[in-house]
Amino acid sequence: MQWETVIGLEVHAQLATRSKIFSAAATAYGAAPNTQACAVDLGLPGVLPVLNKEAVRMAVKFGLAIGAEIPSRSVFARKNYFYPDLPKGYQISQYEQPIVEAGYLDITLEDGSNKRIGITRAHLEEDAGKSLHEDFHGASGIDLNRAGTPLLEIVSEPDMRSAKEAVAYLKTLHALVRYLGICDGNMQEGSFRCDANVSVRIKGEEKLGTRAELKNLNSFRFVERAINYEVERQIDVLENGGEVIQETRLYDSDKDETRSMRSKEEANDYRYFPDPDLLPVEIEPSLLEQVHSELPELPAAKKQRFCSKYGLSAQDAVQLTASREMADYFESVLADSGVEPKLAANWINVELAAALNKDGLDIEASPVTAEALGKLLKRIADNTLSGKLAKEVFEAMWEGAGSVDEIIEKRGLRQITDTAAIEAIIDKILADNPAQVEQYRAGKDKVFGFFVGQAMKATQGKANPAQLNKLLKDRLIQ
Amino acid sequence: MHTKTLSELKTGLAKAEFSSVELTEYYLQRIERHNPDLNCFITTTAELARKLAIEADQKRKKGDAGSLNGIPIAHKDIFCTEGVRTSCGSRMLDNFIAPYESTVTAKLAQAGVVMLGKTNMDEFAMGSSNETSFYGPVKNPWDFERVPGGSSGGSAAAVAARLAPATTGTDTGGSIRQPASLCNVTGLKPTYGRVSRYGMIAFASSLDQGGPMAATAEDCALLLNVMAGLDAKDSTSVDLPVPDYSANLNKSIKGLKIGLPKQFFDSGLDQNVARSIQQALDEYKVAGAKLMEIDLPNMPLSVPAYYVVAPAECSSNLSRFDGVRYGYRVSDPQDLEDMYKRSRGEGFGAEVKRRIMIGTYALSAGYYDAYYKKAQQLRRLISDDFKQAFTKVDVIMGPASPTTAFKIGEKSDDPVAMYLSDIYTIAVNLAGLPGITIPAGFVQGLPTGLQIIGKHFDEARLLNVAHQYQQRTDWHQQVPNIFK
């Protein structure tokens, strides 16, 4: 049987405001428990929420960036349920009238084609605190530092058809919120959290299958693995004549599996109603205009421009526009060095990306600055360095051994491009290895590599590879 | 000294006829002597009061006395007062020492008042008789066998017995105006949004409003001058200038158009109370006001609408009392659910639980549209009735309570009968209007109260209209014999 996977994602993006959504307490991560929770965050009797205007502005910014309708009026509602880390016994959220209505996000698939993913809505809400179950014998501790942190919950349509598409959407969304400067995107610290609604149906079927909601997906990799696991599990259940239950499932990354958390029958009735402590949020057209004028070039537009202006492939452009900092780095390499965009793109997407990944660094923290990389690429362009030598120089630069030219000078890495010098080396090798020369001339082409190796060994790898190849061939044919 | 109004005490302090220390000591002694009979204080703060009085006298010497410098007053125990127990009349908060100060009490403190203590009230302000208090009922100073009204019963009784020259109260469905009526006190519920709710423990957020209670309208004006105004900590407080409420008290009310809703004078009104109210209205006629009947056709729906909206909001507002961070918690919880259930089950009284259940029901999936949404629609209709009426009249008058003070225990087993004692006050909260109750006479030794309702933010006119009546009558000066 042919199955089709259907995925919708709910993302909670923590907005990068300095203070909380309804109080003046700081939002910084990692403070000692309960040191960043004021009377309002603690839900003391008599306290009242006051809306953080910056959070509203950020939500509007997001709405404009996804081409969504921003209603002139939205309403905060109380979502009522009991939980120890929910201080008021209700979460202030938005229900019937969210701040951002339907919009969309275009994603690029692996084959370079585009797909449009619908975004149903995005709404503002406050985060809860954290329950700490370790270090308290037979009891739990509550840390309310996170309580009241502003979140934008972004709900997609069930438009994705594979784990890979889900990840592509998530990465695109991740890039977008970071471009907009509304979320730091840190998945480890929980600033960008994702729940996935996953179901399967027989291909061609209209009706959606029963879905499971996957939680605890705190990296792109886990999102992909959890969805893949869950899809297989559901297909397995169905093919064995079972039924998928609508439930919440927790992803366990250690065991790489999803486990049932609670089924919907036990679900709360949240008794939503408009929060009488807060006035409806009125968005003036002037605010929309102002926020619109402040929008940066968005990833999709930037990607488009990189393809058309620099002649890059879609995949290269996607990678380079994954973050604003990465794109800025690329463009500043070009501006500094004037090298071919393709060369710069390759170096950034391959060598630099690998080095950053290895050391777990963001582009902003790269030890090799855009200016330095530009200089290196220039030395490739002017034939001072071969690709191989350039890699060696790059590694040295990464270790902080100095500038490109200093390293070339110090280590004598300048490429040998003098024809006469290369010819002299070739002649000596051919003279020393008459047997191999015979073999080559008898049609054993493989021996050619042997001569290249010998020549490179003799020049400590500094011979210009293209020149060496050409001159070697010329000599052997003679 | 206790026969003096707040206004007269202010003058006396200014003229150094007595000090705040003397005045405070005098009231502390009255409280000590009479409170055991009345039970109108949950907490007295004698030590703090003495300290504040000394500070007030020093401030006056230095010449930086605030407008109410050195005046002793008491706060309803619903206002958070830093470092002082704030119980809200509930076992749930019996151990709760507020770590912060409400805006109302902070503003009054800034103006120099001396806090005598925290007054008794119905638990979480839910009640019309003060019988739901964890700390026992307050006695009506006019008859110890009767209730003082509620929920600001302690505040009303304290003023009536002159254990404090003034008190603060809160009014969600009549909780200032009804006890004022039953105790012979002047009590003002301001327009919703006029006085900050920050630090006032919420019962029904869209209805709650704090206000002053005192012997006279003139005194209420002095208090409101301090209490009113925009508060950045309360999004529902309104950004309108605060007028000097004392400025227009003496304005003539000749030609004042008074509307009398026929729904306020129906069969539910006790005939003796009706006669008393009629006499008060006659007095206004003599003063040159014009009386005309008006129609508030949707007013009879205000009690059912209120008993959906208020419990719905309360069911959510009281969720924070879960035993996790503060307040009552059972000592031996088996698990989380057990802790929730028993902490709340033992911490809350019957009336609070009744309202939480009504409210939870009204907000539940499948019932929301039929109850909460419908109630909000009624609220709009009731509000429109008033809007319509105010195109023809300047103020609306009627009784504040259908009866005089009833006996303790008389209605405590009949919630609906109890709820109906707020029938004339509830619509005002649903419409967010200001209302004031002033003493209007006596029926068989028990006080009656005239309620005056105004347009939004028309408190200055209400106080003017009330003051003019008090210039022509002396009901407001009456004090029960044993407290004279």
Side-chain angles (χ1 to χ4, degrees):
Chain A
M1 208 170 305
Q2 267 245 286
W3 295 94
E4 182 177 50
T5 303
V6 178
I7 303 160
L9 298 182
E10 282 172 28
V11 169
H12 286 86
Q14 181 181 319
L15 296 176
T17 55
R18 279 200 306 260
S19 58
K20 293 188 176 175
I21 185 166
F22 299 120
S23 84
T27 52
Y29 180 82
N34 298 310
T35 56
Q36 280 179 180
C38 67
V40 174
D41 307 322
L42 295 172
L44 288 181
V47 296
L48 296 170
V50 177
L51 179 59
N52 183 336
K53 290 200 175 71
E54 192 53 32
V56 171
R57 216 186 156 81
M58 287 180 173
V60 167
K61 209 171 186 180
F62 176 77
L64 292 175
I66 59 160
E69 177 85 7
I70 311 288
S72 60
R73 182 188 164 98
S74 69
V75 172
F76 281 101
R78 294 186 183 177
K79 179 180 181 177
N80 294 284
Y81 65 97
F82 285 98
Y83 206 71
D85 59 24
L86 186 72
K88 297 185 293 295
Y90 58 84
Q91 176 194 32
I92 304 177
S93 181
Q94 295 189 305
Y95 186 52
E96 283 179 337
Q97 292 173 267
I99 189 154
V100 174
E101 287 179 350
Y104 63 86
L105 207 54
D106 289 330
I107 63 170
T108 301
L109 305 179
E110 274 186 326
D111 63 3
S113 66
N114 281 344
K115 180 170 178 178
R116 178 158 290 188
I117 306 295
I119 291 177
T120 318
R121 60 181 276 168
H123 67 252
L124 284 167
E125 62 184 27
E126 59 179 339
D127 207 346
K130 273 181 192 157
S131 297
L132 309 168
H133 302 295
E134 290 150 23
D135 308 332
F136 299 93
H137 300 289
S140 292
I142 307 292
D143 176 8
L144 293 174
N145 281 350
R146 203 181 63 181
T149 299
L151 299 177
L152 188 65
E153 179 174 334
I154 304 158
V155 182
S156 87
E157 290 289 311
D159 285 351
M160 287 150 278
R161 294 290 171 269
S162 69
K164 283 213 154 40
E165 281 186 26
V167 171
Y169 165 80
L170 205 58
K171 283 188 169 165
T172 309
L173 185 62
H174 187 256
L176 178 63
V177 296
R178 295 187 63 213
Y179 263 71
L180 295 171
I182 62 172
C183 173
D184 69 17
N186 191 322
M187 294 177 87
Q188 249 66 57
E189 291 175 6
S191 310
F192 189 84
R193 306 198 283 271
C194 170
D195 299 336
N197 285 306
V198 179
S199 64
V200 298
R201 61 181 169 192
I202 294 168
K203 211 167 175 119
E205 186 95 24
E206 275 279 308
K207 209 171 146 258
L208 291 171
T210 306
R211 67 170 193 271
E213 187 182 359
L214 309 186
K215 286 193 178 291
N216 198 32
L217 313 175
N218 52 18
S219 77
F220 294 121
R221 201 159 51 96
F222 292 164
V223 170
E224 186 167 348
R225 285 165 60 175
I227 292 174
N228 282 334
Y229 174 88
E230 179 61 18
V231 167
E232 272 183 46
R233 186 191 70 85
Q234 290 187 12
I235 292 174
D236 220 43
V237 168
L238 293 169
E239 288 188 341
N240 286 307
E243 254 179 73
V244 173
I245 308 166
Q246 188 174 335
E247 61 182 351
T248 302
R249 296 180 69 86
L250 200 70
Y251 177 66
D252 181 338
S253 56
D254 292 334
K255 295 188 179 150
D256 190 26
E257 63 178 30
T258 65
R259 274 200 307 274
S260 182
M261 242 174 98
R262 57 171 181 260
S263 71
K264 284 277 168 185
E265 292 110 82
E266 300 162 38
N268 287 303
D269 173 359
Y270 291 121
R271 291 174 282 120
Y272 280 100
F273 74 107
D275 192 332
D277 288 333
L278 289 160
L279 303 174
V281 183
E282 309 275 357
I283 305 286
E284 302 288 337
S286 61
L287 177 75
L288 292 182
E289 275 166 39
Q290 203 195 348
V291 174
H292 198 270
S293 71
E294 291 165 8
L295 283 182
E297 185 187 19
L298 299 176
K302 203 176 274 257
K303 195 197 108 194
Q304 196 57 46
R305 182 167 64 82
F306 278 19
C307 289
S308 55
K309 185 174 171 191
Y310 301 128
L312 300 181
S313 71
Q315 279 308 329
D316 271 345
V318 165
Q319 216 181 323
L320 288 173
T321 55
S323 78
R324 201 151 129 184
E325 292 76 15
M326 186 65 94
D328 289 349
Y329 187 98
F330 169 70
E331 293 206 287
S332 95
V333 167
L334 289 190
D336 287 343
S337 65
V339 298
E340 275 294 301
K342 182 71 192 156
L343 177 69
N346 277 346
W347 268 82
I348 293 169
N349 284 344
V350 181
E351 300 304 329
L352 182 67
L356 289 170
N357 193 36
K358 193 179 93 215
D359 288 1
L361 295 175
D362 285 331
I363 185 78
E364 302 94 291
S366 170
V368 176
T369 63
E371 198 192 346
L373 185 67
K375 282 190 176 136
L376 176 67
L377 299 184
K378 241 165 136 173
R379 290 288 166 260
I380 298 173
D382 69 10
N383 263 331
T384 309
L385 293 173
S386 65
K388 186 153 174 278
L389 289 176
K391 282 176 194 169
E392 204 179 326
V393 175
F394 177 81
E395 269 169 36
M397 288 164 76
W398 191 265
E399 303 302 331
S403 74
V404 181
D405 291 339
E406 280 166 13
I407 294 167
I408 292 173
E409 222 38 64
K410 226 185 289 171
R411 309 196 178 180
L413 292 177
R414 195 174 291 272
Q415 174 167 248
I416 299 167
T417 51
D418 178 352
T419 307
I422 298 173
E423 279 175 344
I425 291 161
I426 291 171
D427 287 345
K428 185 167 185 301
I429 292 168
L430 297 189
D432 290 350
N433 299 287
Q436 281 82 353
V437 173
E438 272 314 307
Q439 285 173 5
Y440 182 81
R441 286 188 177 147
K444 205 169 176 192
D445 290 350
K446 271 191 187 160
V447 188
F448 189 77
F450 166 77
F451 297 121
V452 173
Q454 291 296 310
M456 279 299 181
K457 199 169 160 191
T459 60
Q460 284 124 34
K462 285 183 287 190
N464 179 305
Q467 265 178 303
L468 174 65
N469 277 359
K470 186 174 174 298
L471 294 171
L472 189 58
K473 263 193 187 128
D474 289 350
R475 274 287 194 269
L476 284 167
I477 291 162
Q478 274 171 15
Chain B
M1 193 115 74
H2 63 275
T3 54
K4 286 186 164 57
T5 64
L6 185 148
S7 180
E8 288 160 350
L9 293 174
K10 184 171 144 79
T11 310
L13 284 166
K15 288 186 179 161
E17 287 167 14
F18 44 82
S19 68
S20 177
V21 168
E22 288 163 339
L23 184 61
T24 301
E25 205 54 54
Y26 179 82
Y27 276 104
L28 287 174
Q29 275 169 26
R30 276 187 75 79
I31 292 168
E32 200 174 307
R33 193 165 85 206
H34 294 298
N35 191 53
D37 288 337
L38 294 174
N39 194 29
C40 49
F41 281 86
I42 289 174
T43 304
T44 49
T45 50
E47 283 312 302
L48 178 66
R50 290 185 180 107
K51 190 179 134 253
L52 289 171
I54 291 168
E55 281 171 20
D57 287 335
Q58 284 166 347
K59 273 197 179 154
R60 190 174 296 282
K61 270 193 201 123
K62 277 193 273 169
D64 66 349
S67 69
L68 298 175
N69 191 69
I71 304 271
I73 74 168
H75 292 303
K76 185 175 182 179
D77 206 18
I78 198 169
F79 290 101
C80 284
T81 42
E82 191 172 351
V84 175
R85 175 173 63 177
T86 301
S87 75
C88 221
S90 181
R91 181 184 192 191
M92 182 58 85
L93 291 179
D94 185 47
N95 64 1
F96 180 65
I97 311 291
Y100 78 104
E101 191 79 18
S102 77
T103 296
V104 161
T105 53
K107 280 183 152 189
L108 286 165
Q110 188 64 32
V113 302
V114 170
M115 181 171 79
L116 295 167
K118 309 288 294 284
T119 61
N120 202 345
M121 57 183 283
D122 279 297
E123 184 178 11
F124 285 102
M126 297 175 201
S128 309
S129 66
N130 225 297
E131 291 165 288
T132 72
S133 171
F134 173 62
Y135 301 92
V138 174
K139 313 286 169 54
N140 190 312
W142 296 92
D143 179 347
F144 291 175
E145 288 183 8
R146 290 175 189 274
V147 302
S151 67
S152 308
S155 286
V159 172
R162 301 297 190 258
L163 304 192
T167 54
T168 52
T170 63
D171 189 318
T172 305
S175 281
I176 286 176
R177 290 160 292 152
Q178 185 256 19
S181 176
L182 270 46
C183 289
N184 204 49
V185 164
T186 303
L188 172 68
K189 176 208 116 55
T191 309
Y192 183 78
R194 178 77 290 183
V195 170
S196 170
R197 294 186 295 115
Y198 187 78
M200 203 175 98
I201 298 176
F203 158 17
S205 310
S206 72
L207 301 162
D208 296 344
Q209 186 62 205
M213 304 181 84
T216 68
E218 187 184 12
D219 293 353
C220 285
L222 287 172
L223 291 158
L224 189 62
N225 279 337
V226 174
M227 294 165 76
L230 177 72
D231 180 7
K233 292 177 192 154
D234 177 2
S235 311
T236 61
S237 72
V238 175
D239 189 8
L240 276 178
V242 177
D244 178 355
Y245 292 110
S246 304
N248 288 329
L249 292 174
N250 290 314
K251 223 173 97 179
S252 162
I253 54 165
K254 203 151 188 265
L256 179 81
K257 284 177 279 179
I258 300 172
L260 306 172
K262 55 183 180 198
Q263 289 79 5
F264 275 48
F265 298 91
D266 60 5
S267 59
L269 179 61
D270 177 278
Q271 285 312 297
N272 292 322
V273 175
R275 265 192 295 280
S276 171
I277 297 300
Q278 193 51 54
Q279 279 166 19
L281 295 172
D282 290 344
E283 194 63 46
Y284 273 104
K285 218 185 286 177
V286 175
K290 290 187 198 128
L291 275 56
M292 60 189 85
E293 190 185 87
I294 56 164
D295 193 10
L296 299 175
N298 292 294
M299 212 210 75
L301 298 172
S302 60
V303 172
Y306 176 89
Y307 277 98
V308 171
V309 174
E313 292 182 9
C314 112
S315 72
S316 174
N317 282 333
L318 270 60
S319 293
R320 69 189 60 197
F321 304 106
D322 56 7
V324 174
R325 284 143 298 130
Y326 49 75
Y328 182 76
R329 182 201 285 182
V330 287
S331 55
D332 56 343
Q334 301 304 302
D335 54 27
L336 179 63
E337 193 166 318
D338 181 52
M339 182 178 95
Y340 280 155
K341 283 182 175 167
R342 284 198 293 130
S343 297
R344 288 170 66 81
E346 294 167 20
F348 290 139
E351 182 60 25
V352 168
K353 282 188 253 187
R354 173 159 34 234
R355 296 200 196 190
I356 290 173
M357 285 190 280
I358 294 171
T360 302
Y361 182 82
L363 288 175
S364 295
Y367 298 97
Y368 181 85
D369 287 352
Y371 293 102
Y372 188 76
K373 226 171 200 174
K374 184 68 89 354
Q376 291 293 8
Q377 286 161 356
L378 291 181
R379 195 170 173 177
R380 170 58 58 89
L381 293 176
I382 290 159
S383 199
D384 288 347
D385 281 359
F386 279 109
K387 213 173 277 171
Q388 187 62 32
F390 279 122
T391 61
K392 297 188 211 105
V393 300
D394 301 314
V395 295
I396 291 169
M397 289 188 188
S401 164
T403 63
T404 53
F406 44 93
K407 288 231 161 112
I408 291 173
E410 190 182 323
K411 297 183 183 180
S412 44
D413 293 331
D414 185 351
V416 174
M418 187 71 90
Y419 296 170
L420 286 172
S421 61
D422 288 329
I423 191 160
Y424 301 131
T425 48
I426 275 174
V428 173
N429 298 77
L430 290 171
L433 298 168
I436 190 170
T437 293
I438 53 175
F442 288 83
V443 169
Q444 288 150 6
L446 293 171
T448 65
L450 174 73
Q451 181 182 199
I452 314 170
I453 301 161
K455 298 173 191 171
H456 286 116
F457 299 100
D458 211 7
E459 286 84 356
R461 191 199 300 261
L462 289 190
L463 289 161
N464 163 232
V465 171
H467 179 70
Q468 287 306 303
Y469 180 79
Q470 291 179 338
Q471 294 300 99
R472 311 173 70 92
T473 58
D474 64 356
W475 303 121
H476 59 286
Q477 290 167 1
Q478 305 305 312
V479 178
N481 281 328
I482 60 166
F483 300 107
K484 273 186 177 156

